[in-house]
Amino acid sequence: MRVGLFIPCYMDAFEPEVGIATLELLRRFDLDVTYPFDQTCCGQPMVNTGCHEEAAATEALFVRNFSGFDYVVAPSGSCTHQVREHMTAIPQTPDVVAVRARTYELVEFLHDVLKVDAFPWAEFPHRVSYHNNCNALRGIGHARPSELHAPFYSKPLDLLAKVKGLEVVELARPDECCGFGGTFCVFEPAVSAKMGHDKVRDHARAGAAYVVSADSSCMMHQRGSAERLGLPLKFIHIAQVLNGAAA
Amino acid sequence: MSHPQEPDRHRMIHPDLAVSDDEAPRSPDGHRLEHGAGTSRPLRPRSHEPQPRGARVHGHRPIDQNEAAARFIAAPEHEQMHDERLWDLRQKRDRQMRAIPEWEELREIASRIKQHTLSHLDTYLEQFEAAAKANGVHVHWAEDGAAHNRIVHAILRDHGARRLIKSKSMLTEECGFRHYMAASGIEVIETDLGERIQQLDDEDPSHIVVPAVHKLRADVADVFARKLGTDPDNDDVHYLAERQREATRPLILEADAGLTGGNFAVAETGSIVVCTNEGNADLSGNVPKLQIHSVGIEKIIPQVADLGIFVRLLSRSALGSPMTQYTSHFRGPRPGTEMHVVLVDNGRAARLGMEEFWTSLKCIRCGACMNTCPVYRRSGGLSYGATYSGPIGLILDPTFDKRKYSTLPFSSTLNGSCSNVCPVKINIHEQIFAWRKVLAEARELPLVKRAMMSAAGKVLSHPALYRTAIRTADSALKVLPRFVVYNPLNTWTQGREMPPVPKSTFHDWYAANHPAPAEDPTSPEAKP
């Protein structure tokens, strides 16, 4: 199985260790994982700002980089949502359609495609609060959102349940957006920061030592918020936990 | 730094974690005292935090929602109360939803009825008109808000009416009815308590269902003290409600005419259905000898039986209560009285022709999207500077004025909770997303935003440029964050610390640890 690894731009720059953990984790399953060298971004910053025209060349580059793989895997629900649902600034050629359909977020790839039933190398004896990125939750169906009358499920919590020693704590507002919102975080700073503060207080009140998420962008915003408030929270990507990171 | 086994009290005594109850005394070792004395609190002085006001409106210039929201957040008592009050409504709504096994089916049916009706709107409007006329109702058609106001004014004038009592109606807000009537010499009295508070304070409603939800009790006490002569230091809700009732009830009983909006207009019967919790629509409709109902043309539903779906959804979604206290059907004039219905377009027919946005006409004005919206809860409805605020406002307002409301679709994180709570399944967050594209194409984005996106698009579509950009001395923080965490105003550091810069990018780490990528045939720019 040939897998193309997509490392989102902000992760490339700020969180290389998450990319490394993702690569290592995928290789544990005997996959042929390639990191196409000329990758940059999925186009989301432009598209979410309404600037589809400005995103076209970036989207085209993404498709050129990731054509021909059986799967494209990204450790980000947000970027995966962009590729799968919103990559429409370019003509929908068979190549484009195929790349979009084969792009998976890491958690769903492990849960739905590989159907991993154990992570014997992983142990994380800590109280953990799980943060659902909104695009992961409501956009690509990571879990049952609290607004809907439907049976509960959560792919990330299913995976975390297989990690030894990990204890999940409940938030008072489980699906509340943290306020990152892409460019929202810089164009609407007052509300964004307030939402971030409220979110990290919720994690702390729930008794979490670590916040775990499949999206580094939300966590970058939340970490900045927690540091500003002086809250002793730590943040770690689910790829790192599943790859057996020690605290 | 902090060990996972760290004692709980270290976490609990962080000042930002302290709720108001945490002011209680502590023992010398930092533990809170558990005995009776420990829980007694000093008398708190009454709040005098001034009420933050709404967006500053300058003609057709784009509304600065963020500026108004920042002022709302800077009033922490107001912001916290507002957020918690509306979040409470969301939780009550969730409990009601969970008690109804067929909830999602109800939403689907409601959505289909609305889509069907909107697709055959001309037929159902004519059917409604015929049925209403047969009931002895006068039916009027208003093309826009100005026409609505003129029509209602003319009806009142013909009857020599000097005082109009009015129940809450977003449509009349949309038409600027109260402002129009101020110059007419006819007194307008709002009968919904929240709306009456807003009228006395000369402020627009901040929420579709709970119009004064952004006010603290102390704010209401201030308004009533100024306008009704109540004791400014008494903010007891029973006292305030009773004094308002005593002041307003005589005006209601002696009014010459009454006006309501309408939650539903039933084509089959020609009746107007109004749902309230205070019975104020019944006062407006049943006390004076002249009753007028102003209804948007999208409020039509085919038959009475359809109400069985909508009434089950409306109050559960809005307030988390099984149903409104009053569901009143106005079908025709009582003996010796007149009943008028004004059917208002005001942009609705045009909206019906907008491929991506016409389903916003399904809205039944429950406000569930506002209650769940994390941005709305922290901004207050008046920060939007528009008749409709919150998620539904973001997609309705630009249809009224594309320039003035061009910024509103960006006051969202696109989190999607609004679409999930919508009882008629409007894809609200997808329409917010779609509006951004429409506005960008119409060149309605601020120049700085457009320039940033244009620059980002160039760098991100050229791997070499991108690599150079993030590999320079200060690397990521200088260049990459131009579209991630950096912007010319450096707003990230408002409330947040910058992320640490790692020693190398993932890309460089990969390059250092793997064979050269030139052999990768899928790489388009790997060739020299």
Side-chain angles (χ1 to χ4, degrees):
Chain A
M1 191 189 285
R2 286 195 73 228
V3 171
L5 176 64
F6 173 58
I7 299 299
C9 51
Y10 56 84
M11 190 179 280
D12 181 25
F14 293 116
E15 316 243 318
E17 65 281 5
V18 178
I20 296 167
T22 306
L23 181 64
E24 286 178 0
L25 178 60
L26 290 172
R27 283 182 172 161
R28 288 177 186 271
F29 300 101
D30 289 331
L31 303 170
D32 173 11
V33 186
T34 307
Y35 169 78
F37 230 58
D38 287 327
Q39 61 179 284
T40 57
C41 166
C42 62
Q44 186 172 204
M46 290 79 80
V47 166
N48 272 9
T49 313
C51 300
H52 293 241
E53 214 177 287
E54 286 80 353
T58 304
E59 292 185 359
L61 175 66
F62 184 95
V63 173
R64 283 204 301 279
N65 275 315
F66 289 102
S67 286
F69 288 105
D70 298 319
Y71 293 96
V72 179
V73 175
S76 161
S78 181
C79 301
T80 302
H81 177 255
Q82 152 68 17
V83 172
R84 215 186 283 161
E85 306 296 328
H86 286 162
M87 194 174 263
T88 55
I90 44 174
Q92 299 298 298
T93 62
D95 243 13
V96 173
V97 172
V99 166
R100 291 180 62 192
R102 288 174 193 166
T103 299
Y104 280 75
E105 182 281 329
L106 176 67
V107 166
E108 40 174 27
F109 184 70
L110 297 170
H111 190 276
D112 301 346
V113 179
L114 298 184
K115 302 190 196 318
V116 178
D117 53 14
F119 298 89
W121 50 81
E123 185 170 355
F124 201 73
H126 304 287
R127 303 185 81 188
V128 158
S129 170
Y130 188 77
H131 173 70
N132 278 309
N133 164 281
C134 295
N135 287 318
L137 176 69
R138 302 189 187 88
I140 60 172
H142 257 200
R144 190 281 318 269
S146 56
E147 302 95 7
L148 296 181
H149 197 304
F152 180 81
Y153 74 92
S154 168
K155 296 174 189 178
L157 292 184
D158 277 358
L159 298 183
L160 290 176
K162 303 179 203 306
V163 174
K164 218 179 299 166
L166 186 145
E167 182 196 345
V168 176
V169 299
E170 293 277 325
L171 291 177
R173 300 183 182 188
D175 299 339
E176 178 96 322
C177 175
C178 70
F180 173 67
T183 53
F184 178 86
C185 73
V186 290
F187 288 120
E188 308 275 333
V191 179
S192 174
K194 183 67 173 79
M195 287 167 68
H197 290 188
D198 289 351
K199 189 75 201 183
V200 295
R201 285 180 177 123
D202 199 359
H203 289 308
R205 284 203 189 101
Y210 281 85
V211 178
V212 176
S213 178
D215 279 80
S216 291
S217 52
C218 297
M219 286 202 289
M220 184 165 68
H221 164 72
Q222 291 182 37
R223 181 189 290 122
S225 300
E227 281 176 13
R228 177 59 59 91
L229 296 178
L231 289 171
L233 283 170
K234 286 171 280 188
F235 294 80
I236 188 166
H237 194 280
I238 193 169
Q240 295 167 285
V241 175
L242 296 178
N243 190 45
Chain B
M1 134 196 106
S2 51
H3 191 268
Q5 300 308 317
E6 181 178 64
D8 266 0
R9 66 190 160 88
H10 276 199
R11 189 170 54 242
M12 294 309 295
I13 58 176
H14 185 280
D16 276 302
L17 287 183
V19 291
S20 56
D21 288 353
D22 285 344
E23 300 305 318
R26 293 174 192 285
S27 63
D29 69 355
H31 283 106
R32 268 177 291 176
L33 299 177
E34 304 282 9
H35 55 74
T39 58
S40 72
R41 272 175 283 156
L43 285 173
R44 254 185 299 171
R46 216 164 66 70
S47 157
H48 285 292
E49 180 184 87
Q51 185 200 323
R53 297 293 172 174
R56 296 178 176 127
V57 177
H58 309 279
H60 292 276
R61 273 166 53 191
I63 298 288
D64 189 348
Q65 195 268 341
N66 183 61
E67 182 275 330
R71 281 188 283 110
F72 193 73
I73 290 166
E77 289 178 32
H78 284 82
E79 187 276 336
Q80 190 185 352
M81 177 280 299
H82 190 259
D83 173 53
E84 287 177 1
R85 168 97 174 87
L86 295 174
W87 179 253
D88 182 53
L89 291 182
R90 159 70 206 281
Q91 287 183 298
K92 286 176 173 148
R93 173 248 173 228
D94 287 0
R95 284 197 287 275
Q96 290 292 334
M97 165 194 76
R98 283 193 288 267
I100 303 212
E102 68 274 27
W103 181 261
E104 299 301 334
E105 203 182 333
L106 285 177
R107 291 175 71 220
E108 182 58 35
I109 296 169
S111 169
R112 285 193 197 164
I113 294 172
K114 279 285 182 180
Q115 294 212 22
H116 163 82
T117 316
L118 289 165
S119 323
H120 302 81
L121 197 54
D122 50 346
T123 313
Y124 285 114
L125 281 168
E126 282 170 10
Q127 190 189 347
F128 173 86
E129 183 185 33
K133 281 181 169 167
N135 295 338
V137 176
H138 301 272
V139 179
H140 309 261
W141 299 85
E143 192 183 3
D144 54 19
H148 164 267
N149 296 344
R150 278 197 308 274
I151 290 167
V152 175
H153 189 190
I155 299 169
L156 295 172
R157 214 171 33 215
D158 290 349
H159 288 75
R162 284 158 301 129
R163 184 183 296 141
L164 173 73
I165 53 170
K166 183 175 163 299
S167 93
K168 183 170 167 37
S169 151
M170 289 311 293
L171 176 68
T172 57
E173 296 298 323
E174 209 183 279
C175 297
F177 178 70
R178 225 158 58 195
H179 300 289
Y180 170 88
M181 291 303 284
S184 72
I186 298 172
E187 187 185 12
V188 177
I189 307 280
E190 293 285 350
T191 55
D192 173 274
L193 176 58
E195 200 68 65
R196 179 68 175 154
I197 294 168
Q198 290 308 94
Q199 181 185 24
L200 290 173
D201 199 21
D202 197 21
E203 217 179 31
D204 290 335
S206 76
H207 187 286
I208 288 177
V209 175
V210 278
V213 69
H214 59 296
K215 279 183 160 68
L216 296 172
R217 278 188 308 179
D219 302 327
V220 177
D222 285 348
V223 176
F224 283 7
R226 276 188 282 121
K227 298 291 174 77
L228 303 176
T230 56
D231 173 2
D233 291 323
N234 191 345
D235 64 3
D236 176 74
V237 289
H238 302 290
Y239 165 75
L240 292 172
E242 189 55 28
R243 288 301 299 271
Q244 192 284 139
R245 187 175 190 275
E246 284 167 14
T248 309
R249 196 50 64 113
L251 303 176
I252 292 172
L253 295 176
E254 291 159 18
D256 306 303
L259 184 145
T260 80
N263 293 87
F264 307 98
V266 185
E268 175 189 30
T269 56
S271 52
I272 301 293
V273 180
V274 190
C275 306
T276 76
N277 282 308
E278 299 171 29
N280 55 308
D282 304 85
L283 290 174
S284 304
N286 291 327
V287 175
K289 288 195 166 172
L290 172 63
Q291 67 188 94
I292 305 168
H293 305 277
S294 298
V295 186
I297 54 173
E298 87 285 16
K299 291 296 179 70
I300 293 273
I301 56 170
Q303 48 188 359
V304 177
D306 300 330
L307 281 174
I309 302 290
F310 291 106
V311 168
R312 292 185 77 194
L313 288 166
L314 179 62
S315 192
R316 286 187 169 91
S317 299
L319 299 168
S321 65
M323 89 175 254
T324 46
Q325 299 292 322
Y326 300 86
T327 301
S328 309
H329 299 241
F330 296 100
R331 192 160 179 166
R334 290 157 286 136
T337 71
E338 262 183 40
M339 173 169 164
H340 294 256
V341 170
V342 188
L343 294 166
V344 185
D345 181 333
N346 203 31
R348 286 161 175 74
R351 208 179 297 150
L352 196 54
M354 302 172 87
E355 200 188 332
E356 287 175 292
F357 306 116
W358 72 275
T359 56
S360 63
L361 289 164
K362 291 192 290 184
C363 177
I364 58 172
R365 305 286 192 267
C366 70
C369 61
M370 305 161 99
N371 302 346
T372 201
C373 178
V375 177
Y376 176 88
R377 273 189 266 110
R378 289 167 180 86
S379 308
L382 298 174
S383 68
Y384 297 78
T387 299
Y388 298 103
S389 51
I392 189 67
L394 304 190
I395 62 175
L396 292 182
D397 295 324
T399 67
F400 291 104
D401 189 332
K402 206 186 263 180
R403 158 137 299 186
K404 184 173 179 181
Y405 303 122
S406 60
T407 51
L408 295 189
F410 295 90
S411 296
S412 162
T413 61
L414 300 176
N415 63 76
S417 183
C418 47
S419 304
N420 281 351
V421 296
C422 179
V424 288
K425 296 181 85 164
I426 302 171
N427 57 339
I428 304 176
H429 75 294
E430 289 171 10
Q431 292 194 32
I432 297 171
F433 175 82
W435 265 112
R436 293 181 179 186
K437 181 167 187 264
V438 168
L439 292 162
E441 283 168 359
R443 295 291 184 260
E444 292 288 2
L445 294 197
L447 286 178
V448 61
K449 196 178 269 191
R450 174 140 224 131
M452 281 170 67
M453 289 310 136
S454 181
K458 282 199 187 81
V459 174
L460 290 173
S461 56
H462 294 91
L465 268 183
Y466 170 75
R467 284 296 144 205
T468 314
I470 70 166
R471 203 182 280 131
T472 50
D474 297 301
S475 93
L477 281 184
K478 276 272 160 62
V479 187
L480 176 76
R482 192 172 289 282
F483 38 85
V484 184
V485 297
Y486 170 84
N487 72 89
L489 306 171
N490 198 18
T491 50
W492 175 273
T493 51
Q494 266 183 259
R496 292 157 292 204
E497 298 299 325
M498 291 298 273
V501 187
K503 288 193 198 81
S504 86
T505 64
F506 175 82
H507 186 93
D508 289 345
W509 171 87
Y510 190 92
N513 289 278
H514 293 78
E519 65 217 45
D520 181 358
T522 63
S523 180
E525 300 199 15
K527 300 163 202 88

